[in-house]
Amino acid sequence: MLYSTIPAAEKRAAFRAALNSGELLRMPGAFNPLSARLIEEKGFEGVYISGAVIAADLGLPDIGLTTLSEVAGRGAQIARMTNLPTLIDADTGFGEPMNVARTVQTLEDAGIAGLHIEDQVNPKRCGHLDGKAVVDADTAVKRIRAAADARRDPNLLIMARTDVRGVDGLGAAIDRAKQLVDAGADAIFPEAMADLGEFEAMRAAVSVPILANMTEFGKSELFSTQQLKDVGVNLVIYPVSLLRIAMGAAERGLDTLVAEGSLKSEVPTMQTRARLYELLDYAAYNAFDTSIFDFDVPDAR
Ligand SMILES: C[C@](O)(C(=O)O)[C@H](CC(=O)O)C(=O)O
Ligand SMILES: [Mg+2]
């Protein structure tokens, strides 16, 4: 009931320990707060909070239109739903290095366990699209340094994402990743890797944990968890997958309603009321209520 029972600092410490365990952490993207609950219940190790999903949820393309307040607000709503660590997409950090510092503190206050900041220029775009541009090394390093210096909880994970692979190739992406680690990045998100060999090369080049982005309809093939584990990837995200699944189902349901005039044939595909209430832990709220009002006052009548 009321969800997360673990303070943010403990989630961050657990996230750090898990990242160093040698296991592959699987973090599907929660497309709303309740889905974080589902992710936890199904046995995943963490919850990802995608910038593309937050933007799409607001009916916006993922080109840096969302604000820090919107992202932190949604991040807090999702983080409070789960005892798992959450990793949030902080895009380019919402401005200059000073803004990045504020972003880090705001997301820390939102109860997030880790965040990633990328080296694209503003306006940014999805890392799997063509025509991206990146900032120079000096600016990218300043963003990460500002982020690392700003956190108050040393366990807040600062992950540097580099989009250089899609612009200047793998060699340049590896050089950039090394600079970002030297600047204080605790982990590297190499965006738009072409194949497993590229992940392997990145793994060999840096000493910190690395992330694989298994977003559909992108530049990377959808590798299995075993394949990613075998090349030494530490964390895998499925950022937009649950949104795509849910929106696909919503669209099919609406088509059925139009075609058949009722949703009767869709009912077997729906989450039942009982299952929804189970996820919400509805029964516990009833019990809580009872414990408040179930008392005996002999002289009250
Ligand atoms: C990971 C990502 O940054 C996101 O916002 O979820 C996106 C995902 C996507 O658009 O498929 C990305 O740039 O890869
Ligand atoms: Mg993003």
Side-chain angles (χ1 to χ4, degrees):
M1 197 176 63
L2 298 176
Y3 308 112
S4 183
T5 53
I6 300 181
E10 274 177 42
K11 293 183 199 172
R12 294 183 194 125
F15 190 30
R16 290 264 176 177
L19 271 175
N20 291 325
S21 71
E23 288 303 312
L24 175 70
L25 309 187
R26 301 159 305 159
M27 301 180 105
F31 69 98
N32 64 11
L34 186 59
S35 64
R37 196 79 192 144
L38 204 51
I39 291 165
E40 178 171 341
E41 208 180 90
K42 296 291 177 187
F44 290 92
E45 292 77 29
V47 172
Y48 181 68
I49 304 171
S50 151
V53 168
I54 294 174
D57 208 37
L58 295 167
L60 297 168
D62 183 21
I63 51 172
L65 293 172
T66 49
T67 66
L68 170 60
S69 308
E70 285 169 341
V71 171
R74 194 60 165 166
Q77 287 174 342
I78 293 174
R80 68 162 285 280
M81 288 295 290
T82 177
N83 283 333
L84 294 176
T86 45
L87 174 68
I88 198 165
D89 181 352
D91 285 344
T92 58
F94 300 97
E96 301 307 311
M98 182 73 83
N99 301 76
V100 174
R102 178 155 191 252
T103 294
V104 166
Q105 296 196 346
T106 304
L107 294 174
E108 196 176 39
D109 290 342
I112 299 297
L115 56 104
H116 61 77
I117 291 169
E118 67 203 40
D119 58 5
Q120 284 198 59
V121 298
N122 265 312
K124 51 126 322 133
R125 59 176 68 190
C126 163
H128 290 253
L129 298 182
D130 294 324
K132 285 188 300 186
V134 290
V135 295
D136 59 26
D138 186 47
T139 309
V141 158
K142 277 192 185 128
R143 285 181 188 169
I144 296 305
R145 221 175 253 149
D149 289 348
R151 72 186 146 193
R152 292 139 306 171
D153 181 346
N155 279 331
L156 178 76
L157 191 95
I158 306 292
M159 177 182 282
R161 163 170 152 176
T162 177
D163 283 68
V164 166
R165 166 66 188 87
V167 182
D168 295 321
L170 181 67
I174 286 177
D175 289 346
R176 176 63 63 90
K178 286 181 176 165
Q179 291 169 317
L180 296 171
V181 172
D182 289 345
D186 301 309
I188 292 290
F189 175 167
E191 178 65 309
M193 295 277 111
D195 54 40
L196 278 175
E198 294 199 352
F199 280 112
E200 211 164 8
M202 184 60 78
R203 167 67 295 152
V206 295
S207 53
V208 298
I210 64 168
L211 173 151
N213 178 7
M214 290 292 102
T215 193
E216 300 82 10
F217 316 108
K219 299 234 182 260
S220 305
E221 207 184 303
L222 300 183
F223 302 115
S224 70
T225 48
Q226 192 57 52
Q227 284 174 304
L228 293 170
K229 205 175 158 166
D230 288 348
V231 294
V233 168
N234 308 84
L235 197 165
V236 54
I237 56 169
Y238 306 90
V240 193
S241 314
L242 293 191
L243 179 77
R244 295 192 217 283
I245 292 167
M247 288 298 280
E251 196 163 343
R252 284 188 296 276
L254 291 172
D255 286 342
T256 301
L257 181 54
V258 169
E260 300 177 8
S262 119
L263 281 170
K264 218 179 227 175
S265 69
E266 284 289 321
V267 169
T269 70
M270 291 183 187
Q271 182 180 58
T272 62
R273 181 187 292 269
R275 178 68 180 126
L276 174 62
Y277 285 5
E278 185 182 56
L279 259 192
L280 294 168
D281 204 11
Y282 206 128
Y285 290 87
N286 282 338
F288 188 73
D289 215 34
T290 310
S291 70
I292 288 179
F293 294 108
D294 185 19
F295 56 87
D296 192 29
V297 185
D299 299 327
R301 268 168 264 178

